[in-house]
Amino acid sequence: MKFLLMLLAVLVITGCDYTEVKREIGYKGKARINPWLAAERFCEQYDGEVRSLAVWTAPQYDDAIWFVPASVPSNTSYIRQLESWVEEGGHLVLLVEHADAESSDWSRHAMPPDLEPVLLEMLDRAGIELKPDAAGRGEVTAERIRFRKESYEVDAKSDAGVARKGGKQGVFASVRSGDGRITVLTDARIFRNRWIGDKDHAALLDALVAATEYEGNIGFLRGSGLSLWGLLKDHLWPVLVGLALLMALWLWRSFSRFGPIESADAGSPLRGYDHHLEALGDFQWRLDRAAALLVPLREQIIERGQRIRARAGRRDDDFIQFLAERAEIPRERVHRALVEAAPADSAILTRTTADLQRLLQVLH
């Protein structure tokens, strides 16, 4: 019974009509995040490296042509770097609309880019008029672009208009600037992955690269963010050099000497009298004989000191101060030597004994 039901279901399904529909759903792999991947691979046929940049990096002397979204040069520093590079022979291609990586290749509508006045001023100095809204006249369209006496079939539409000074607004303009060139393309879709294979888009890209005065690297910039590691690489090394110099100076001031280690002279095994005296005082202190050793010395000093004070006519003077002046030692030490009952350790016993011997010596 189950077999018959399964056979019936198969016959019903195979008897139904269906229609095959192909639908584009997007890219896979690197093309999902890099709209210029096809253009980059197309440019690999030329001499020089093809650079794909996700964040802003100033062009170098060995870069020949750069494709840059017009929204990226947003401050005076970027503009100054680009102008200097163009003056020395670089070819700058500014892409106005549909130039950022977030734009969809399946939509003809995109957010208008934010173009800074400093960028428009740079283009004006070069002889290019760029109007982001084309003076409100609607879309600017072009089916052909003429460049260096050649005509290229394209499919370009843009809300922005560009032209040489005094010319008619269109989607493409290119002028010499110094030793280099500045090119503005208002519809960047013709170089994006989905459109570069249509009409003469790839041929126009080839013509722009060929128009570059010098051979070198080809760069495609996808964004305007700043890289933390790039900033550290470019700007941290002076700080590290300064810290290294400060460390070297600190070591030089802290170390007692530099140079090869010299052999040290071995100390004499013979011990001095002060060492034997300290050892003897430590031995007597450990046997708790400090009081027995100090009392005879104190009695002699008190007896002789009072007698000498009386002969000197200073009977009424402070006895401790009299002894301190005679021995030329502080009054506190004289008081401690005569009054302290039991020294706290062997070192104090040794110092007290030395002070008592000094007093006894000056009283003779």
Side-chain angles (χ1 to χ4, degrees), residues 299-317:
E299 290 179 351
Q300 292 184 43
I301 292 171
I302 292 174
E303 179 183 355
R304 293 182 182 180
Q306 290 178 350
R307 194 164 52 244
I308 293 174
R309 184 181 61 166
R311 285 202 299 266
R314 301 178 59 180
R315 187 183 298 273
D316 297 332
D317 291 351

Side-chain angles (χ1 to χ4, degrees), residues 207-243:
L208 290 176
V209 177
T212 306
E213 296 296 328
Y214 304 101
E215 294 182 355
N217 300 329
I218 301 173
F220 289 83
L221 186 62
R222 304 196 304 272
S224 59
L226 293 177
S227 171
L228 174 61
W229 297 113
L231 290 175
L232 293 178
K233 178 183 177 182
D234 295 338
H235 303 289
L236 185 61
W237 67 268
V239 179
L240 295 179
V241 171
L243 289 177

Side-chain angles (χ1 to χ4, degrees), residues 254-271:
S254 300
F255 283 3
S256 58
R257 58 175 173 78
F258 288 93
I261 300 177
E262 298 179 356
S263 59
D265 297 333
S268 174
L270 300 177
R271 303 298 180 91

Side-chain angles (χ1 to χ4, degrees), residues 67-83:
F67 295 84
V68 179
S71 59
V72 171
S74 57
N75 57 60
T76 306
S77 176
Y78 291 178
I79 295 296
R80 183 172 60 251
Q81 293 170 354
L82 288 175
E83 276 191 309

